[in-house]
Each structure stands twice: as structure tokens, then as C-alpha cells.
Amino acid sequence: MKKVISVRDLCRTFHVGDIDVHALDHVNLDIHEGEFIAVMGPSGSGKSTLMNILGCLDTPTSGSYELLEHKVSEMDDNQLSDIRNQYLGFVFQSFHLLPRLTAWDNVLLPMRYSRSSRTNASETIKHAHRVVKELGMDDRMKHNPNQLSGGQRQRVAIARALVTNPSLLLADEPTGNLDSKTSANILSLFDALNEQKQTILIVTHEDEVAKHATRVIQMRDGKIEGEIENTKYGIA
């Protein structure tokens, strides 16, 4: 099985006044194609810092990070931007949709920054139509975000994340602003994506969310404290 992520001795230290805060402390992690990973831990455990580095939104203080054999930890900001646009999709708790754009224009936003999407624009648009239809949002694409429910906005955000066929889908508390019924619907979408071999990493503090993952990584004090293999909806 192809390795998507390989992390070795990853450290991230923040300097707060005269104090060094070790947000990540020699983390080692491999993620393979088709896995559905949940990262859990209390506040300050390092899970969000780990996701930011895996998502090329931050850089490690030391250690190595390879994404599909690209040595990400050695890249500059422009190279990291290219990696984000080419290989990664993001879903956030607060949706991060642009309010003045229609849902459809929000979905197509990654095309502005992706060279491959611009080169194959017609194919990307066809793919976007397919994704939107599969997510049940094809009749809401002319609406602005403020005309959509929370669940609909999250579906738009998921479609935006998928439009460039990312190798890794990163989700930060994707159901945090949703009611329980809508959360269950969104998690069912993640299940369906994973069944199609989409590699997914979710940061969450909710056990109900983590149950959908195939592997749960537990963090504390900047370290991986343990891992649990899941058979969907139950511990193996």
C-alpha cells in the first residue's frame, strides 16, 4: 500500500517570552493510501499543530516530513503552497466559505491556484459537477453561503476540498458547528469518500467522530501517546 505521509522525529517549538513550548515532541507517523485517521487529544496536546504541519500551513522546528516522497520539511513557502494546491484538501469547523461568492464559485476557488486545474479546466469543472451532485448540492449552487444551512455549507466546503482530487483530505473538527443529525450526515459522507479510497485525516475531540476512522491516534503533551485500530463503529 502506497505511503502518503512519513514523519520522523517531528518537533515544533514555539517561543513564548522566555519560555519554549514544545507543541510537538519527536512525533513519528506513517499514513498509507486509503486510511481514515482520527487524531484525538486534550487542548494543548499538539493535534492542531500536527495537522497544520501535515497540511503545509506550518513548518517543523526539526525532524522530517515527506508527503508522497516529497521532502516537505525542506521546502520554502512557495513550494509549500504548490504542495498544498496539488495534493491537499481542507475542511474546517467554520467552513471558511467566501460570503460574497455563490456556492459554485466557492467550490471552484482551488482552480484559481492549481496549475493542473487550470490546464485541464474543462475536466475539472466536469469533476466539480460530479462531486456537487454526489454531495446532493447541485440544486443549491447559485445560493450564497448565508442562504444555506450549516450542513449545506459544510457540504460545499467538502466539495471545494475535493475538486482537485487531493491525495489527502484534512478535516479540523468538521462537525463542531453542526447539530447531531447533520453531523451524522456529514460523517456518512466521509465514510463514503473513504470507501472510494480517499485518504482522510480528521482532528477531533469527539468519540462519535473518531469511531468512523480506521485508526485513532491519541496525543498528549506533543507526543503520540497511543494508537487504536478501529473496525468501523467499534474497536478491533
Short mmCIF file of all heavy atoms in Angstrom, two decimals, residues 5 7 10 12 14 23-24 27-29 31 37 39 45-58 65 170 201 203 217 219 222-224:
data_model
loop_
_atom_site.label_atom_id
_atom_site.label_comp_id
_atom_site.label_asym_id
_atom_site.label_seq_id
_atom_site.Cartn_x
_atom_site.Cartn_y
_atom_site.Cartn_z
N ILE A 5 2.08 9.69 3.81
CA ILE A 5 2.80 10.56 4.76
C ILE A 5 3.81 9.73 5.54
O ILE A 5 3.52 8.61 5.98
CB ILE A 5 1.82 11.23 5.72
CG1 ILE A 5 1.17 12.45 5.04
CG2 ILE A 5 2.50 11.68 7.02
CD1 ILE A 5 0.10 13.10 5.87
N VAL A 7 6.50 10.75 8.69
CA VAL A 7 7.01 11.77 9.61
C VAL A 7 7.98 11.10 10.57
O VAL A 7 7.68 10.04 11.13
CB VAL A 7 5.84 12.41 10.40
CG1 VAL A 7 6.34 13.16 11.62
CG2 VAL A 7 5.05 13.36 9.51
N LEU A 10 9.47 14.51 14.41
CA LEU A 10 8.96 15.85 14.12
C LEU A 10 8.80 16.65 15.41
O LEU A 10 8.15 16.20 16.36
CB LEU A 10 7.61 15.74 13.42
CG LEU A 10 7.17 16.94 12.61
CD1 LEU A 10 8.06 17.10 11.37
CD2 LEU A 10 5.72 16.80 12.17
N ARG A 12 8.01 20.73 16.96
CA ARG A 12 7.62 22.13 16.72
C ARG A 12 7.64 22.86 18.06
O ARG A 12 6.91 22.51 18.99
CB ARG A 12 6.22 22.21 16.11
CG ARG A 12 5.77 23.64 15.79
CD ARG A 12 6.65 24.27 14.72
NE ARG A 12 6.15 25.52 14.22
CZ ARG A 12 6.60 26.73 14.61
NH1 ARG A 12 7.56 26.80 15.54
NH2 ARG A 12 6.11 27.84 14.09
N PHE A 14 7.45 26.57 20.01
CA PHE A 14 7.05 27.97 19.96
C PHE A 14 7.73 28.71 21.10
O PHE A 14 7.80 28.21 22.23
CB PHE A 14 5.53 28.11 20.09
CG PHE A 14 4.76 27.51 18.95
CD1 PHE A 14 4.20 26.24 19.06
CD2 PHE A 14 4.60 28.20 17.76
CE1 PHE A 14 3.50 25.68 18.01
CE2 PHE A 14 3.89 27.65 16.70
CZ PHE A 14 3.34 26.39 16.82
N ALA A 23 5.23 22.10 21.26
CA ALA A 23 3.91 21.69 20.78
C ALA A 23 3.94 20.29 20.18
O ALA A 23 2.98 19.53 20.30
CB ALA A 23 3.40 22.69 19.75
N LEU A 24 5.04 19.94 19.50
CA LEU A 24 5.27 18.58 19.02
C LEU A 24 6.64 18.14 19.49
O LEU A 24 7.62 18.88 19.37
CB LEU A 24 5.20 18.51 17.49
CG LEU A 24 3.85 18.76 16.83
CD1 LEU A 24 3.98 18.67 15.31
CD2 LEU A 24 2.79 17.79 17.33
N VAL A 27 7.64 13.39 17.08
CA VAL A 27 6.50 12.60 16.60
C VAL A 27 6.91 11.77 15.39
O VAL A 27 7.57 12.27 14.47
CB VAL A 27 5.32 13.54 16.23
CG1 VAL A 27 4.24 12.78 15.47
CG2 VAL A 27 4.75 14.18 17.49
N ASN A 28 6.53 10.50 15.41
CA ASN A 28 6.75 9.59 14.27
C ASN A 28 5.39 9.07 13.81
O ASN A 28 4.58 8.63 14.63
CB ASN A 28 7.64 8.41 14.67
CG ASN A 28 9.04 8.85 15.04
OD1 ASN A 28 9.80 9.31 14.19
ND2 ASN A 28 9.40 8.73 16.31
N LEU A 29 5.16 9.13 12.50
CA LEU A 29 3.84 8.75 12.00
C LEU A 29 3.93 8.37 10.52
O LEU A 29 4.59 9.06 9.74
CB LEU A 29 2.86 9.92 12.17
CG LEU A 29 1.45 9.74 11.62
CD1 LEU A 29 0.71 8.63 12.36
CD2 LEU A 29 0.68 11.05 11.70
N ILE A 31 1.17 7.33 7.32
CA ILE A 31 -0.22 7.22 6.87
C ILE A 31 -0.20 6.67 5.45
O ILE A 31 0.52 7.18 4.59
CB ILE A 31 -0.95 8.57 6.91
CG1 ILE A 31 -1.04 9.08 8.36
CG2 ILE A 31 -2.35 8.45 6.32
CD1 ILE A 31 -1.65 10.47 8.48
N ILE A 37 -7.89 8.40 9.29
CA ILE A 37 -7.22 8.61 10.57
C ILE A 37 -7.95 9.67 11.38
O ILE A 37 -8.31 10.74 10.86
CB ILE A 37 -5.76 9.08 10.36
CG1 ILE A 37 -5.01 8.11 9.45
CG2 ILE A 37 -5.05 9.27 11.70
CD1 ILE A 37 -4.77 6.77 10.05
N VAL A 39 -7.27 12.02 14.78
CA VAL A 39 -6.28 12.46 15.76
C VAL A 39 -7.04 13.09 16.92
O VAL A 39 -7.79 14.05 16.74
CB VAL A 39 -5.29 13.47 15.15
CG1 VAL A 39 -4.27 13.91 16.21
CG2 VAL A 39 -4.58 12.87 13.96
N SER A 45 -2.58 19.36 23.30
CA SER A 45 -1.89 18.07 23.10
C SER A 45 -1.00 18.07 21.87
O SER A 45 -0.15 17.21 21.73
CB SER A 45 -2.93 16.94 22.99
OG SER A 45 -3.76 17.14 21.85
N GLY A 46 -1.24 19.02 20.95
CA GLY A 46 -0.43 19.10 19.74
C GLY A 46 -1.15 18.64 18.49
O GLY A 46 -0.57 18.67 17.40
N LYS A 47 -2.41 18.25 18.60
CA LYS A 47 -3.11 17.69 17.44
C LYS A 47 -3.32 18.73 16.34
O LYS A 47 -3.15 18.43 15.15
CB LYS A 47 -4.43 17.04 17.84
CG LYS A 47 -5.44 17.94 18.54
CD LYS A 47 -6.65 17.12 18.99
CE LYS A 47 -7.74 18.02 19.53
NZ LYS A 47 -7.35 18.73 20.78
N SER A 48 -3.66 19.96 16.72
CA SER A 48 -3.85 21.00 15.70
C SER A 48 -2.52 21.41 15.07
O SER A 48 -2.44 21.68 13.86
CB SER A 48 -4.55 22.22 16.30
OG SER A 48 -5.87 21.89 16.66
N THR A 49 -1.46 21.45 15.88
CA THR A 49 -0.13 21.76 15.34
C THR A 49 0.30 20.69 14.35
O THR A 49 0.85 20.99 13.28
CB THR A 49 0.90 21.86 16.47
OG1 THR A 49 0.49 22.89 17.39
CG2 THR A 49 2.28 22.20 15.93
N LEU A 50 0.04 19.43 14.68
CA LEU A 50 0.37 18.33 13.76
C LEU A 50 -0.38 18.49 12.46
O LEU A 50 0.21 18.37 11.37
CB LEU A 50 0.04 16.99 14.41
CG LEU A 50 0.28 15.76 13.54
CD1 LEU A 50 1.75 15.63 13.16
CD2 LEU A 50 -0.21 14.49 14.24
N MET A 51 -1.68 18.79 12.53
CA MET A 51 -2.45 18.95 11.31
C MET A 51 -1.94 20.12 10.48
O MET A 51 -1.86 20.04 9.25
CB MET A 51 -3.92 19.15 11.63
CG MET A 51 -4.77 19.35 10.40
SD MET A 51 -6.51 19.51 10.75
CE MET A 51 -7.08 20.14 9.18
N ASN A 52 -1.57 21.22 11.13
CA ASN A 52 -1.08 22.39 10.40
C ASN A 52 0.22 22.07 9.65
O ASN A 52 0.43 22.54 8.53
CB ASN A 52 -0.85 23.55 11.36
CG ASN A 52 -2.16 24.18 11.81
OD1 ASN A 52 -3.19 24.04 11.17
ND2 ASN A 52 -2.12 24.88 12.93
N ILE A 53 1.06 21.26 10.26
CA ILE A 53 2.31 20.89 9.59
C ILE A 53 2.03 19.89 8.46
O ILE A 53 2.55 20.03 7.35
CB ILE A 53 3.33 20.32 10.60
CG1 ILE A 53 3.83 21.45 11.51
CG2 ILE A 53 4.51 19.67 9.87
CD1 ILE A 53 4.77 21.01 12.60
N LEU A 54 1.17 18.90 8.72
CA LEU A 54 0.83 17.95 7.67
C LEU A 54 0.14 18.65 6.50
O LEU A 54 0.28 18.24 5.34
CB LEU A 54 -0.06 16.84 8.22
CG LEU A 54 0.55 15.93 9.29
CD1 LEU A 54 -0.45 14.86 9.70
CD2 LEU A 54 1.85 15.31 8.82
N GLY A 55 -0.59 19.71 6.80
CA GLY A 55 -1.28 20.48 5.77
C GLY A 55 -0.43 21.56 5.14
O GLY A 55 -0.94 22.36 4.34
N CYS A 56 0.86 21.60 5.49
CA CYS A 56 1.80 22.58 4.93
C CYS A 56 1.39 24.01 5.23
O CYS A 56 1.67 24.94 4.46
CB CYS A 56 1.96 22.39 3.42
SG CYS A 56 2.59 20.76 2.97
N LEU A 57 0.69 24.20 6.37
CA LEU A 57 0.33 25.53 6.84
C LEU A 57 1.34 26.04 7.85
O LEU A 57 1.32 27.22 8.21
CB LEU A 57 -1.07 25.51 7.46
CG LEU A 57 -2.20 25.07 6.53
CD1 LEU A 57 -3.49 24.87 7.33
CD2 LEU A 57 -2.42 26.09 5.42
N ASP A 58 2.20 25.15 8.32
CA ASP A 58 3.25 25.49 9.28
C ASP A 58 4.45 24.60 8.96
O ASP A 58 4.33 23.60 8.24
CB ASP A 58 2.77 25.27 10.72
CG ASP A 58 3.69 25.86 11.76
OD1 ASP A 58 4.58 26.66 11.40
OD2 ASP A 58 3.53 25.53 12.95
N TYR A 65 9.48 15.48 7.27
CA TYR A 65 8.11 15.21 6.83
C TYR A 65 8.14 15.00 5.33
O TYR A 65 8.55 15.88 4.58
CB TYR A 65 7.20 16.38 7.21
CG TYR A 65 5.82 16.36 6.55
CD1 TYR A 65 5.20 15.17 6.18
CD2 TYR A 65 5.14 17.55 6.31
CE1 TYR A 65 3.95 15.16 5.58
CE2 TYR A 65 3.88 17.56 5.72
CZ TYR A 65 3.30 16.36 5.35
OH TYR A 65 2.05 16.34 4.75
N LEU A 170 -7.80 16.75 4.73
CA LEU A 170 -7.59 17.11 6.13
C LEU A 170 -8.82 17.84 6.65
O LEU A 170 -9.28 18.81 6.03
CB LEU A 170 -6.36 18.02 6.26
CG LEU A 170 -5.02 17.39 5.89
CD1 LEU A 170 -4.03 18.46 5.45
CD2 LEU A 170 -4.46 16.61 7.06
N LEU A 201 -7.67 12.49 7.10
CA LEU A 201 -7.22 12.71 8.48
C LEU A 201 -8.12 13.75 9.11
O LEU A 201 -8.28 14.86 8.60
CB LEU A 201 -5.76 13.18 8.52
CG LEU A 201 -5.17 13.35 9.93
CD1 LEU A 201 -3.71 12.90 9.98
CD2 LEU A 201 -5.28 14.80 10.40
N VAL A 203 -9.03 15.82 12.72
CA VAL A 203 -8.72 16.21 14.09
C VAL A 203 -10.05 16.39 14.82
O VAL A 203 -10.93 17.13 14.35
CB VAL A 203 -7.90 17.51 14.13
CG1 VAL A 203 -7.83 18.06 15.55
CG2 VAL A 203 -6.50 17.28 13.59
N ILE A 217 -5.38 8.04 16.51
CA ILE A 217 -4.10 8.43 17.10
C ILE A 217 -4.38 9.34 18.29
O ILE A 217 -5.06 10.36 18.16
CB ILE A 217 -3.23 9.16 16.06
CG1 ILE A 217 -2.85 8.20 14.93
CG2 ILE A 217 -1.97 9.74 16.70
CD1 ILE A 217 -2.25 8.86 13.74
N MET A 219 -3.04 11.82 21.22
CA MET A 219 -1.91 12.69 21.52
C MET A 219 -2.03 13.31 22.91
O MET A 219 -3.13 13.55 23.41
CB MET A 219 -1.80 13.80 20.47
CG MET A 219 -1.48 13.30 19.08
SD MET A 219 -0.97 14.63 17.97
CE MET A 219 0.64 15.07 18.68
N GLY A 222 2.25 16.92 23.19
CA GLY A 222 3.07 16.98 21.99
C GLY A 222 3.58 15.64 21.49
O GLY A 222 4.35 15.59 20.52
N LYS A 223 3.17 14.55 22.11
CA LYS A 223 3.62 13.22 21.72
C LYS A 223 2.43 12.35 21.32
O LYS A 223 1.30 12.59 21.76
CB LYS A 223 4.35 12.53 22.88
CG LYS A 223 5.60 13.25 23.40
CD LYS A 223 6.15 12.51 24.62
CE LYS A 223 7.37 13.21 25.20
NZ LYS A 223 8.56 13.07 24.34
N ILE A 224 2.70 11.34 20.49
CA ILE A 224 1.69 10.32 20.23
C ILE A 224 1.72 9.34 21.39
O ILE A 224 2.70 8.63 21.60
CB ILE A 224 1.95 9.62 18.89
CG1 ILE A 224 1.72 10.60 17.74
CG2 ILE A 224 1.03 8.40 18.74
CD1 ILE A 224 1.95 10.02 16.36
#
